[in-house]
Amino acid sequence: MKKITIVIDMQNDFLTGSLANSAAVSIVPSILDEIKKSNFVVYTRDTHESNYLETQEGRNLPVEHCIKGTWGWDVVYELNPFFVPELKNSDNWYIINKPTFGCVHIWNNQNFSQLVNENGKDVEVTFCGTCTDICVISNAIIVKSLYPEMIVNVKADACAGLTPEKHKAALDVMSSCQINII
């Protein structure tokens, strides 16, 4: 069984920057533990352009964050694949820049499809990261929908929501969609 860890949006802006969340800071050790168990790691980066405030998302969340090329856009040092000992000298990882919460095209592309077979059988993916109630849930449900035979997990103690209540609600919804909460 191939094990893939998917690290969602563990970027400076979401931990200590413009949308800082202490819950996201606290899950870093659990994510590192999951990375150590994996054959491959896929990172996502929330990625916005300088016109973010003019977009629909920016009008609904008027806080500039994860602007491409800024410090806030970077994966936090502790999880950055260029510095994680298990990854820094390997090619067992890549980073996806995603322009919104969840994107079908990033999971239905050549890079990801090379990691999994046509229906995802014999592959286990484990999601971790932030925010459970926005980006983790969006991407986990997309992957489960695209690859119905794939084992899809969400590691609860390696995810952080906007609030503990929203975190729990997102985990409950994903469980209802046959995503394993571990």
Side-chain angles (χ1 to χ4, degrees):
M1 174 88 46
K2 185 186 294 184
K3 290 184 57 74
I4 301 169
T5 296
I6 300 175
V7 179
I8 302 289
D9 298 353
M10 290 299 289
Q11 296 161 265
N12 290 317
D13 271 347
F14 291 128
L15 276 71
T16 58
S18 61
L19 291 172
N21 181 348
S22 61
V25 173
S26 72
I27 64 174
V28 169
S30 187
I31 293 172
L32 281 170
D33 288 344
E34 196 59 36
I35 287 171
K36 292 174 186 175
K37 299 175 195 173
S38 298
N39 303 112
F40 201 90
V41 180
V42 178
Y43 290 82
T44 69
R45 276 190 299 214
D46 193 39
T47 301
H48 302 294
E49 301 297 330
S50 59
N51 70 336
Y52 171 75
L53 294 176
E54 299 166 22
T55 67
Q56 181 176 349
E57 181 182 329
R59 289 188 295 276
N60 288 304
L61 176 61
V63 178
E64 284 191 344
H65 65 281
C66 300
I67 305 299
K68 188 175 183 176
T70 65
W71 169 86
W73 177 66
D74 289 334
V75 173
V76 295
Y77 177 82
E78 298 86 351
L79 296 173
N80 191 305
F82 291 106
F83 306 112
V84 172
E86 291 79 10
L87 298 177
K88 70 179 183 179
N89 295 318
S90 80
D91 59 356
N92 293 337
W93 61 272
Y94 68 87
I95 297 175
I96 296 170
N97 296 324
K98 61 179 188 57
T100 188
F101 310 130
C103 299
V104 171
H105 75 272
I106 64 177
W107 303 114
N108 199 16
N109 70 22
Q110 186 176 4
N111 283 336
F112 195 69
S113 64
Q114 287 176 349
L115 291 175
V116 302
N117 55 24
E118 184 177 310
N119 65 5
K121 196 172 183 177
D122 300 322
V123 176
E124 179 177 359
V125 297
T126 300
F127 282 85
C128 48
T130 194
C131 290
T132 318
D133 46 312
I134 301 172
C135 295
V136 174
I137 191 172
S138 297
N139 288 287
I141 288 174
I142 289 170
V143 168
K144 185 64 178 173
S145 297
L146 289 171
Y147 304 98
E149 294 302 316
M150 182 183 293
I151 297 170
V152 178
N153 304 315
V154 172
K155 189 172 183 195
D157 70 350
C159 291
L162 291 175
T163 66
E165 297 78 19
K166 288 183 178 187
H167 171 75
K168 183 182 180 329
L171 294 174
D172 289 345
V173 168
M174 288 185 280
S175 178
S176 295
C177 294
Q178 300 181 1
I179 293 170
N180 304 313
I181 308 305
I182 58 173

